[in-house]
Amino acid sequence: MSIETFLIVLFAAFLHAFWNAIVKGAGDRALVLGLVALGHVVPGLGLALYYGAPDPAAFPYVIATTVIHWGYYILLNVAYRAGDLSVVYPVARGLAPILISVGAMIWADEYLPPMAWIGILAVSGGILMLARPGFSNEVARTGLIAAVGVSVVISSYSIVDGIGVRVSGNPGGYIGWIFVAEVFVVLFVFGTRWQRLRAMSARAVGIGFAGGLVSSAAYGLVLLAKTNAPLGIVSALRETSVIFAALIGVLWFSEGPRRERVLAALIVAAGISIISGAKG
């Protein structure tokens, strides 16, 4: 992985954490989800018009990732109803780099060197550490199962998009089309909650839409990185967004526990250092 790609993915991870911080505390999660999706559709239209359609070979991947993302939204909703955010989110994101690395071996014929695996395991381990305090209480089994399910779905669309953007022959067009496909999410959410949307303040609407714009930039950068870097390594670096979010919580929102979050960040930083020096 080149230093440019390495820095691009880390910046995308920061953007992902930042947009989550933007929408933190939103009163209506479903409507914010619709606004975030709208924040994907608008730049997606621009990309699709500018770059045109991807190669027909990419169309099955566009359809597959659209369907998988619906599963992601549904499972995530179930996971957050059944389990705590502090457990579900780290479990879902922390397992993804490992699952994606294994999946990439099977479907993309990507084999990582031992040092890269050590770095990925360190990153995942540091992220999963954030869920440890939640296990001291009675954790709903359904929530944990749903969190693992969310991780499987994240891994699925990550692999699908990683292969799809490569076969598209037109990364900008592929990114544009998968973002435009989220219009179905927008129509469903707004169509079933129109009165609640009209009751939202202009500030809340603006925050949700801005979060979507930042989110689209983050995922677009990750997909560009996947055109020339191993999927597992890109995923491990991208999921450091969880650590960025934890540190933002400590520094911005004065959240705790501070010591565990700082330790997890140090472990993830060590994993990033190992990945950056791995040769594959």
Side-chain angles (χ1 to χ4, degrees):
M1 176 184 289
S2 68
I3 186 63
E4 292 83 3
T5 302
F6 179 81
L7 293 175
I8 284 173
V9 179
L10 282 185
F11 180 59
F14 171 77
L15 287 179
H16 189 271
F18 182 65
W19 83 258
N20 276 273
I22 288 176
V23 300
K24 177 181 171 62
D28 194 319
R29 186 178 298 151
L31 282 179
V32 169
L33 173 63
L35 291 167
V36 168
L38 182 62
H40 291 175
V41 172
V42 173
L45 283 171
L47 289 171
L49 290 173
Y50 183 80
Y51 288 102
D55 189 278
F59 289 166
Y61 296 94
V62 173
I63 296 171
T65 192
T66 300
V67 173
I68 293 170
H69 270 85
W70 271 96
Y72 167 72
Y73 295 136
I74 294 170
L75 265 179
L76 192 63
N77 189 38
V78 171
Y80 284 151
R81 283 205 312 265
D84 292 337
L85 173 66
S86 59
V87 174
V88 171
Y89 191 60
V91 169
R93 310 305 306 200
L95 289 176
I98 299 173
L99 295 177
I100 291 170
S101 298
V102 172
M105 285 194 298
I106 299 172
W107 287 290
D109 201 29
E110 288 185 356
Y111 295 89
L112 300 175
M115 287 301 291
W117 272 107
I118 292 173
I120 288 170
L121 290 172
V123 169
S124 288
I127 294 171
L128 289 169
M129 272 190 65
L130 296 175
R132 188 183 64 82
F135 295 124
S136 60
N137 302 318
E138 187 69 25
V139 180
R141 181 177 299 178
T142 304
L144 280 177
I145 293 173
V148 174
V150 171
S151 188
V152 172
V153 174
I154 290 171
S155 304
S156 299
Y157 74 64
S158 296
I159 293 171
V160 167
D161 282 338
I163 298 174
V165 75
R166 291 175 180 178
V167 305
S168 70
N170 180 1
Y174 181 85
I175 294 169
W177 275 57
I178 66 171
F179 282 170
V180 169
E182 293 198 39
V183 70
F184 297 109
V185 177
V186 177
L187 293 175
F188 175 77
V189 172
F190 291 174
T192 55
R193 298 166 177 83
W194 182 246
Q195 294 302 321
R196 284 157 56 183
L197 177 64
R198 292 183 61 185
M200 285 185 76
S201 68
R203 180 178 180 275
V205 171
I207 288 174
F209 181 68
L213 293 177
V214 176
S215 171
S216 65
Y219 195 57
L221 289 173
V222 166
L223 286 184
L224 287 178
K226 287 180 178 180
T227 61
N228 57 20
L231 304 185
I233 289 179
V234 171
S235 173
L237 294 177
R238 180 253 178 273
E239 300 304 351
T240 58
S241 63
V242 178
I243 296 298
F244 283 123
L247 292 178
I248 288 173
V250 169
L251 301 174
W252 189 350
F253 298 111
S254 299
E255 296 176 347
R258 181 181 297 263
R259 181 179 302 176
E260 286 82 354
R261 294 186 181 201
V262 172
L263 178 59
L266 291 175
I267 293 173
V268 169
I272 292 173
S273 178
I274 294 170
I275 288 173
S276 67
K279 304 296 183 183

